[in-house]
Amino acid sequence: MRIAVLISGTGSNLQALIDRAPDSDYEIALVLSNRPQAVGLQKAQAAGIPTVIIDHTEYDSRESFDQAMIEALDAQQIDGIILAGFMRILTPAFTLHYLGRMLNIHPSLLPKYPGLNTHQRALDAQDAEHGLSIHFVTPELDGGPVILQAKVPVEAGDTAESLQKKVQIQEHIAYPLVTNWLAQGRIQLQNNQACYQDQT
Ligand code: GRF
């Protein structure tokens, strides 16, 4: 499967996807960033992956920005979209265009803490465990059907920063795995649910 990874920042999940690509059924055909300075672009370039910058500040609406992304992605015959720290809210037109073919990784145990500052919110709530969720993207922000979650313990002395580090270690294992499941057709979105296909 030809996938595009959409980023806005550091791209550590992108790097994990790059590292696992040789053993996987996905090919990272494009990395798209909405921020020209995203550090992740350098990771893509170092791996020889084509990059495209579509700067959201140059568009006067979410609709026109998303339409420009659709045109860039479809021009490269992209089959799957992997959101990896992509910090823009997507329009229904975009999410529906790639429905069932687009994944997001979110640093909380959804449905807890959609949106930002998830690590601090888990600390403030005195949660005993925290983690990440990988889900199909639907028009509802951080609300699509969850495919996989990984948990980490919240321990005495944890800070938002230490929790983020713990969660990211798990992210870098989980996201390439689930992306490969998507590429292999092992997971599908059916009736707004994540379904697992028996491959035997
Ligand atoms: C990850 O923690 C992910 O859960 C969230 O954004 C972060 C991106 O980090 N959606 P990176 O750019 O992959 O390092």
Side-chain angles (χ1 to χ4, degrees):
M1 174 183 249
R2 285 170 62 80
I3 65 166
V5 182
L6 273 53
I7 63 167
S8 301
T10 311
S12 68
N13 280 283
L14 166 64
Q15 187 64 58
L17 287 158
I18 290 169
D19 292 345
R20 291 297 304 276
D23 314 318
S24 304
D25 288 319
Y26 61 81
E27 174 201 351
I28 306 175
L30 190 68
V31 170
L32 185 155
S33 173
N34 66 306
R35 293 210 180 112
Q37 306 305 331
V39 172
L41 287 168
Q42 296 165 22
K43 297 182 164 86
Q45 284 152 9
I49 299 167
T51 59
V52 60
I53 296 163
I54 301 187
D55 184 345
H56 64 278
T57 64
E58 292 175 3
Y59 295 83
D60 57 12
S61 68
R62 286 192 192 280
E63 285 73 18
S64 58
F65 169 66
D66 282 7
Q67 185 56 37
M69 288 202 297
I70 288 175
E71 285 168 17
L73 294 162
D74 284 358
Q76 298 297 321
Q77 288 94 41
I78 298 299
D79 305 314
I81 309 287
I82 306 300
L83 303 180
F86 185 69
M87 301 303 287
R88 298 299 300 168
I89 293 172
L90 297 164
T91 60
F94 190 90
T95 56
L96 294 175
H97 189 77
Y98 297 106
L99 192 65
R101 302 190 285 142
M102 177 156 56
L103 306 181
N104 183 40
I105 189 162
H106 182 76
S108 79
L109 298 172
L110 291 170
K112 279 189 168 182
Y113 317 133
L116 299 174
N117 302 321
T118 59
H119 310 301
Q120 189 60 50
R121 288 156 74 192
L123 284 173
D124 292 346
Q126 299 186 314
D127 290 347
E129 56 188 18
H130 183 47
L132 67 96
S133 305
I134 299 169
H135 63 93
F136 280 111
V137 177
T138 63
E140 191 189 346
L141 178 68
D142 297 329
V146 169
I147 301 160
L148 180 143
Q149 295 184 312
K151 294 179 179 177
V152 302
V154 182
E155 293 157 308
D158 262 329
T159 61
E161 195 177 40
S162 68
L163 274 184
Q164 180 188 23
K165 281 187 184 147
K166 282 194 227 179
V167 167
Q168 285 210 326
I169 288 169
Q170 300 303 319
E171 288 187 342
H172 300 161
I173 299 167
Y175 215 10
L177 179 73
V178 177
T179 299
N180 199 31
W181 290 349
L182 181 74
Q184 293 172 334
R186 293 171 77 103
I187 46 167
Q188 287 175 6
L189 181 66
Q190 289 175 4
N191 302 321
N192 209 36
Q193 292 185 335
C195 298
Y196 302 82
Q197 305 296 322
D198 189 353
Q199 297 283 308
T200 56

